[in-house]
Amino acid sequence: MHRLFLSLYMLLFATTSGAADESWLVTTDRWGNPSHQILELRTDSRTLSGTLDGDALQGSRRGDVLSFTVTDEHGARYVFTGKRSGERITGEADFPDTNHADRRARHTFTARRIPTRPDGPPRTHVFTPATYSNEFSATRAPVLILWPGDSVRTTTLDSGGVDEHGVTRALYGNPQTGPFYIAGAAPGDTIAVHLTRLRLNRDYADSLDGIVPRALSAAQAIRSAALGKPVRWALDLARGTASPQDASGALSAFTVPLRPMLGGLAVAPGDGWPPMSAGDTGRNGGNMDFNEVVEGNVVYLPVFQPGALLYLGDAHALQGDGETSQYGLETSMEVEFRVELVRGKAITMPRIESPRQIFVLGQAGSLDDALRTATDGMLQWLRQDYGLDASEAAQVLGSSVQYRVANLAGRSVGLAAAIDKARLENVRRGGGGSP
């Protein structure tokens, strides 16, 4: 996988002219585990300077051989020696041993040059997926490089891997489109994903008639034992409605308004963490299944890897709070989104902003823990963006917070804390709070 990642990066990163200031993606093989870092390199004749993930470096260059030492904030030294060939550097790194302060460990590394941003205004990319991912991973090669302000028009499959033509294109389990590399994004930053257009592209969706166990009493669980059967929904795209296909009896005239949403939206997890299943959630997003991830809203995600590595998928034509039937109205979709980068701003959990409200999504193994996480994230938002101290934030929360169950269907659950933006209009921003 590591070699595949590097070889695909070689194809992806276009050759650029040799400039004094260069950005590189460094991948170090640490006992079989790839770690990714951003190298900012400045060359002055034979002298090298710059940063590696923000830590200062000094070194030298003799022909194609580069040697530099990185010193972190704790005084630990990391020594890299490599040979440059065009837009690639290969070599060996000498690191502190992670378990023995008096020992060193040697690792191989490869670096690929990141192209400079093209001249002109932000671009709109049209991307047709050829493969899909069933996990949110830092080792999967990016499908496209985006710069802040760029937009993408693309498509997603349904949760079973079926496209708009009814053709199975990927394994079931919420296959994702991506990842998209956001140039300049680094751990500690936040990306803003503006969902500018979500459009259904077929006339049916699939769901179940079940109810998730978390939502059932013991008595109701017995009465619901026979539930869980597939339900096909007919989508009337012209009218913007959905109805159970071939329904009879009480539901023969039942229709609901369509509200397309993305169930899956995530960045890659951090260094040292394994890939996350496309059915799971965490601080990096994931299979959030929150029905406010809709057109016109902005989703904020914390960055844990160079380039963030953004994935999206699991389109729903409609979903009630909690995804109580285990599935939403699962379908395929055309998606257009724009990415922006908020440098140096770390957030604890995914945030969503609509024209009317702000939301923080807490995701955990229980609703109690999800409640605590969502509340903590909302308090952080009030502190960071509105400058409120603990007392002031508590007063806003106590008078104005709303809680919604976002997801009950996965291994983890989601609960969203929300505040109407109108309640915050008279709050003086930039007060005494600290991040």
Side-chain angles (χ1 to χ4, degrees), residues 8-25:
L8 287 173
Y9 258 101
M10 293 172 64
L11 295 174
L12 183 65
F13 288 144
T15 301
T16 56
S17 59
D21 296 314
E22 303 171 347
S23 295
W24 297 75
L25 180 72

Side-chain angles (χ1 to χ4, degrees), residues 356 396 399-402 419-427:
R356 191 176 68 86
V396 170
S399 64
S400 303
V401 74
Q402 304 165 41
I419 294 179
D420 286 351
K421 292 162 73 171
R423 299 285 183 96
L424 301 171
E425 287 180 353
N426 295 324
V427 172

